Amino acid sequence: KEMVEFSKCAGFDLMAITGDIVDGNAALKRQKRDLYDLINLIREAKTTSVAISKGNHDDNSWYTFCHNMDIDSVLSPDEWYSYVTNPLRVQYPIVPDKENMAGGYYYIDYPLHKIRVINLNTSDIPYVLDDSGKLIKEYCGHWTLGMSERQIKWLCDVLKFDEQGWAVLFMSHNLPVMIEGGKSEVKNGDLVWEIIKAYKNGEMHPLFFEGKMPESEGDRWNLLYEKFPEIQNGGEWSYGETRNCNANEI
């Protein structure tokens, strides 16, 4: 409320909210109502655009973890799009991935300033179920972070510009990589960090993919990273778009 009221006095080019906009430990009906109320409030702001990153609390999997891993209590990517991204998209110049509208990532351009704001989704993970239809603990979004290959490919595409002079601002709930060293908590975060550094240094991004969309459970893409041979022939968290798949193949 304070941000919205302040915007009415100052005016913003961008209101950036970097996730955990709800608690994530409530019945799904309450979670949806809270999201609905919050987005309606945010849309009252006097700002050119609003970007909201998806946080690890926002899919309600904390509640799922505490209630027998029932997948029906998770806020699905399609529901996140319906309650959060799409209401903002119809009011602000948000450009999502046309091939994955519910991906939870998008960019916003400011042509006058030549700035592109890229909103990444570090909770872009699959919901993998066991044989009884329950969410597997290791794929509970409250504690597991990751960025899909689809999002990484999209990132490579949106870092290409037809003219020089553009700057890029990245935002996300979690950092793709630990700045002070150590392994990233975000699966595929190291790859994203290398892409960002390559862009910053004016290099051609070295990431490319081969493979096909999965046709059956357990099928996945091959991830090839030319510049970093130590992770060739498949990196961690390399998965396709199937919801029910063999956890050992991810």
Side-chain angles (χ1 to χ4, degrees):
K1 289 182 178 179
E2 291 178 355
M3 291 175 65
V4 171
E5 290 302 315
F6 183 67
S7 74
K8 295 176 181 178
C9 299
F12 302 146
D13 287 319
L14 172 67
M15 180 184 289
I17 303 171
T18 53
D20 285 354
I21 58 176
V22 288
D23 180 69
N25 191 12
L28 185 57
K29 184 176 180 180
R30 169 65 183 273
Q31 179 94 332
K32 291 179 178 179
R33 187 184 69 187
D34 288 348
L35 287 172
Y36 178 83
D37 291 342
L38 179 63
I39 297 303
N40 280 339
L41 173 63
I42 290 172
R43 292 177 67 185
E44 297 177 6
K46 300 300 181 182
T47 174
T48 304
S49 57
V50 172
I52 300 179
S53 302
K54 189 177 183 180
N56 60 304
H57 284 249
D58 293 328
D59 72 346
N60 213 44
S61 57
W62 184 12
Y63 180 88
T64 301
F65 181 82
C66 297
H67 292 79
N68 300 318
M69 307 303 286
D70 183 4
I71 190 65
D72 291 333
S73 61
V74 170
L75 188 83
S76 71
D78 286 336
E79 290 171 323
W80 175 261
Y81 177 79
S82 296
Y83 281 87
V84 180
T85 305
N86 194 50
L88 298 178
R89 186 183 67 84
V90 299
Q91 183 168 339
Y92 304 111
I94 288 173
V95 183
D97 182 354
K98 293 181 179 179
E99 297 183 12
N100 186 22
M101 297 289 285
Y105 52 88
Y106 48 82
Y107 70 85
I108 301 171
D109 278 347
Y110 296 85
L112 182 63
H113 305 292
K114 284 192 173 182
I115 295 175
R116 173 166 291 178
V117 177
I118 298 179
N119 184 24
L120 299 173
N121 179 10
T122 53
S123 291
D124 184 12
I125 65 171
Y127 293 110
V128 182
L129 310 182
D130 62 20
D131 293 338
S132 65
K134 299 292 185 180
L135 181 65
I136 296 176
K137 180 180 178 180
E138 288 75 15
Y139 297 91
C140 180
H142 186 72
W143 287 280
T144 303
L145 306 170
M147 302 175 74
S148 69
E149 291 184 22
R150 174 61 245 169
Q151 182 177 180
I152 297 172
K153 292 173 68 178
W154 170 87
L155 174 61
C156 293
D157 289 337
V158 301
L159 284 174
K160 301 172 184 176
F161 295 90
D162 294 330
E163 57 180 343
Q164 294 182 345
W166 279 75
V168 177
L169 185 154
F170 295 94
M171 59 179 284
S172 61
H173 180 63
N174 293 84
L175 290 174
V177 71
M178 297 176 66
I179 299 299
E180 298 300 326
K183 189 174 181 180
S184 172
E185 295 180 350
V186 180
K187 303 294 185 181
N188 277 346
D190 294 333
L191 303 181
V192 172
W193 187 241
E194 294 300 334
I195 293 168
I196 292 173
K197 288 195 297 182
Y199 174 78
K200 181 177 183 293
N201 295 332
E203 303 170 1
M204 179 178 293
H205 64 77
L207 185 63
F208 65 97
F209 295 87
E210 289 184 356
K212 60 182 180 179
M213 290 298 292
E215 297 176 352
S216 61
E217 294 184 3
D219 200 7
R220 66 175 184 174
W221 292 50
N222 266 330
L223 177 64
L224 301 178
Y225 202 54
E226 185 179 52
K227 189 174 181 181
F228 300 90
E230 67 273 14
I231 57 171
Q232 280 187 354
N233 302 319
E236 283 190 353
W237 209 249
S238 174
Y239 63 90
E241 304 297 324
T242 52
R243 179 168 181 150
N244 294 295
C245 47
N246 185 346
N248 293 325
E249 294 296 322
I250 295 182

